[in-house]
Amino acid sequence: MSDSNDNYVLEISGVNKTFGGLKALSGINLKVREGSTHAIIGPNGAGKSTLLNTCIAKLVPDSGSIIFAGRDLTDGMTPHGINQLGVSRVFQTPEIFPELSLLHNVMIPAFAKRDGFFKFNLFEWLRDEKQLEGEAMHYLDNLGLSGSAEVHAGSLSRGDKRRLELAMCLIQHPKLLLLDEPTAGMSRHDTNRTIDLLKEIKEGGMTKIIIEHDMHVVFSLADRISVLAQGAIIAEDEPEAIKGHPRVREAYLGSAEI
Ligand code: ADP
Ligand code: MG
């Protein structure tokens, strides 16, 4: 089936990355359609996190380009600069402010995105605080965290920190959201709640790339799936086609039912 929307938000071309002698990424080409949810699956060590890290300048690829909003993200951009362009990420290790309440954790990135930390304006802060507080509570509520809004973030479980980090991303209204195993460590109930929220923001038109081991999550959300094995994309297709793909079953899924 050809897709009528051929606007690509992100275009990864010929990306290579080696660590010492290990080729973690080999000639990766990937295009992500605007408003879609693109899943990347593959076994541990396939290079999935490395690929997302090159998209936010946490790692610089040896060669290749990653074009977003007309800019090459690999060409000297900083992680902060990429965030300002509209890219947010939830990564495997949540990055939160442990000493602050959940509510403040969610409110801070909205200010940082808008002004940058160095252009902080107290009057704007006071005017906007109530509105932002309401929005922050909305995301906390949807993720089942509003009951802990005043609790220090450092005291949360790993799964709860994940959901908090997701709320911190969503309040920035990113154009592109990168999710590295967002439901890892979550109960089934919390996973389903996270799926529902990600579906809701999909309706809002946000583009997402999601790395995920939980096939229930992948098949609930993905419009398209790329399969990564040993640093190379071995298949890319719509979810139904991926389910039946012989190389995918062999390389990644084994005999597992999906
Ligand atoms: P995945 O996320 O698919 O599990 P990763 O991208 O984390 O895989 O890792 C791909 C390969 O690159 C693995 O063999 C891993 O050990 C290696 N690797 C990842 N990051 C580094 C690093 N900073 N230094 C050295 N090797 C790394
Ligand atoms: Mg990983």
Side-chain angles (χ1 to χ4, degrees), residues 3-12 30-36 38 67-70 176 207 224 236:
D3 201 310
S4 57
N5 178 4
D6 271 339
N7 289 332
Y8 295 108
V9 161
L10 190 77
E11 296 194 36
I12 301 176
L30 187 73
K31 290 182 178 181
V32 181
R33 284 201 174 88
E34 186 172 14
S36 71
H38 196 121
I67 306 297
F68 173 81
L176 175 64
T207 308
R224 203 156 178 86
E236 190 200 310

Side-chain angles (χ1 to χ4, degrees), residues 19 22 24 42-51 59 92 180-181:
F19 294 113
L22 177 87
N44 277 332
K48 305 181 298 295
S49 295
T50 301
L51 183 60
L59 288 172
Q92 280 181 307
D180 195 347
E181 301 188 23

